[in-house]
Amino acid sequence: VSRTVLGYHLSMRKEVSKIDVLRAIKMALTVWKKPKITCGDHAYLFNANLPSAVAEEYAGLCWDETSVDGALAETCKTVEKVLENVVGSKLLHPKNSFSVRRNKDDRPFIEAFFRHLGSWGFQQLGNTTGSSPKTKPAKKPDEIALTSQFQYEYAKEILDVLIANYNATPHSSLGGRTPLEYFKFRFLQLNQKRYADQSSVMHVVSFRKLCTVLGGYKSGRLPFINFQHGRYGSNILAQRYDLVGEKIWITTHIEDDIRIVMASTQDGQPLGLLTVRSPWSRL
């Protein structure tokens, strides 16, 4: 209704995976921080933002329905379970609703958004094929990308700027208001508001593995575990000689950062946080 983008995820895959979908959902429920960019000091429009960074009451706000186009990654049980348990949202797809992908007019807001995303930003770059892949031989985007040393981080910066600016751009269909302004207007009209539990949101994109506790009296070493080629330990685990030789659960609760992981016994007893040993703890 408001056209506002709550969250997004940049995927480098040819086809999105369920992890990509979960990361987009997670970002929509967490506070967005405007990143520092290298493409210019004035790239962001005035008031360019995502709702979660505008006001505290917008962060973690849940929605009732999630409409997808029917891709397997979007309709899988994992995504449906997260939407149901964390967001409290019903997943609408072609098999359980009227949401059938007949033509581009079925989702005009989504199609318009991606059209603007291309025409405003990525299609303007010299290292893309423009509006049609047929122009690739003439434009030679691969050569331009190599010559200009275009980085993945640059693409992410452009995406950050485009989406934040989109939320702050007036729409004629919204009476000349920006999506963020109309979002605020509709928010004040809501009688009941639901918020996601942040501890549950943190574990939306998490990885769990059973690891054997090593060390002990016989080896003369404090108890520790090996995870992803790193050695992890803590003051709590160092005192649990009774767990040596046993397997414990290791959970990566911080996305894209496994310097610190959560540990627990197989029966659910928490063992606190484990930290990877140097030098990986500094990277």
Side-chain angles (χ1 to χ4, degrees):
V1 173
S2 69
R3 318 293 201 273
T4 312
V5 179
L6 300 179
Y8 56 92
H9 172 66
L10 174 60
S11 174
M12 301 300 291
R13 303 172 185 269
K14 292 183 178 180
E15 296 290 340
V16 296
S17 68
K18 64 180 180 181
I19 300 298
D20 295 327
V21 179
L22 292 177
R23 283 179 170 172
I25 294 172
K26 181 179 179 180
M27 185 177 181
L29 295 169
T30 54
V31 178
W32 181 69
K33 296 181 180 179
K34 188 179 294 185
K36 294 182 180 180
I37 59 174
T38 59
C39 58
D41 297 330
H42 306 288
Y44 288 104
L45 297 177
F46 180 71
N47 288 336
N49 224 328
L50 264 66
S52 59
V54 174
E56 292 183 359
E57 58 265 29
Y58 298 161
L61 190 66
C62 295
W63 55 91
D64 295 332
E65 293 181 347
T66 304
S67 180
V68 297
D69 61 10
L72 293 177
E74 300 167 350
T75 59
C76 68
K77 292 294 183 181
T78 302
V79 173
E80 187 173 13
K81 186 177 180 181
V82 168
L83 286 172
E84 180 181 355
N85 297 337
V86 179
V87 188
S89 170
K90 180 182 179 181
L91 179 63
L92 302 180
H93 53 83
K95 291 185 178 180
N96 71 351
S97 70
F98 60 88
S99 176
V100 179
R101 207 53 208 274
R102 300 182 183 88
N103 53 55
K104 291 185 178 181
D105 293 331
D106 283 356
R107 292 178 177 82
F109 301 155
I110 302 298
E111 295 297 334
F113 166 73
F114 279 104
R115 185 171 63 250
H116 290 316
L117 200 62
S119 60
W120 287 359
F122 289 104
Q123 292 176 5
Q124 301 294 327
L125 301 176
N127 61 338
T128 67
T129 59
S131 59
S132 174
K134 296 180 181 179
T135 63
K136 184 175 181 179
K139 293 190 66 176
K140 299 180 179 179
D142 295 341
E143 294 182 10
I144 297 175
L146 290 172
T147 304
S148 62
Q149 297 183 356
F150 190 85
Q151 305 294 315
Y152 163 80
E153 289 77 11
Y154 299 162
K156 192 174 187 307
E157 287 182 4
I158 293 173
L159 187 63
D160 285 324
V161 171
L162 287 174
I163 292 182
N165 287 349
Y166 177 85
N167 283 343
T169 302
H171 283 232
S172 58
S173 57
L174 298 179
R177 287 172 288 190
T178 68
L180 285 175
E181 290 173 343
Y182 200 63
F183 181 91
K184 179 180 179 181
F185 171 73
R186 294 303 299 261
F187 176 83
L188 296 175
Q189 294 181 329
L190 292 176
N191 295 324
Q192 295 181 344
K193 304 176 181 67
R194 296 186 296 104
Y195 291 90
D197 179 64
Q198 287 304 308
S199 62
S200 299
V201 173
M202 183 184 300
H203 290 86
V204 166
V205 187
S206 62
F207 175 75
R208 196 168 73 145
K209 182 181 180 181
L210 280 172
C211 295
T212 303
V213 179
L214 306 174
Y217 295 114
K218 293 182 179 179
S219 63
R221 304 170 73 181
L222 296 174
F224 67 95
I225 61 103
N226 286 327
F227 176 69
Q228 295 296 100
H229 308 291
R231 185 171 143 189
Y232 289 76
S234 69
N235 293 333
I236 297 177
L237 184 62
Q239 302 173 24
R240 297 297 303 269
Y241 286 92
D242 58 308
L243 293 176
V244 174
E246 301 290 333
K247 290 185 178 293
I248 61 174
W249 282 113
I250 300 300
T251 305
T252 60
H253 62 296
I254 304 176
E255 191 175 350
D256 296 330
D257 188 351
I258 58 171
R259 291 175 295 180
I260 299 176
V261 297
M262 297 178 64
S264 63
T265 61
Q266 295 189 54
D267 58 2
Q269 181 182 357
L271 297 172
L273 300 176
L274 306 185
T275 306
V276 68
R277 301 294 171 85
S278 183
W280 308 116
S281 58
R282 299 193 299 269
L283 301 176

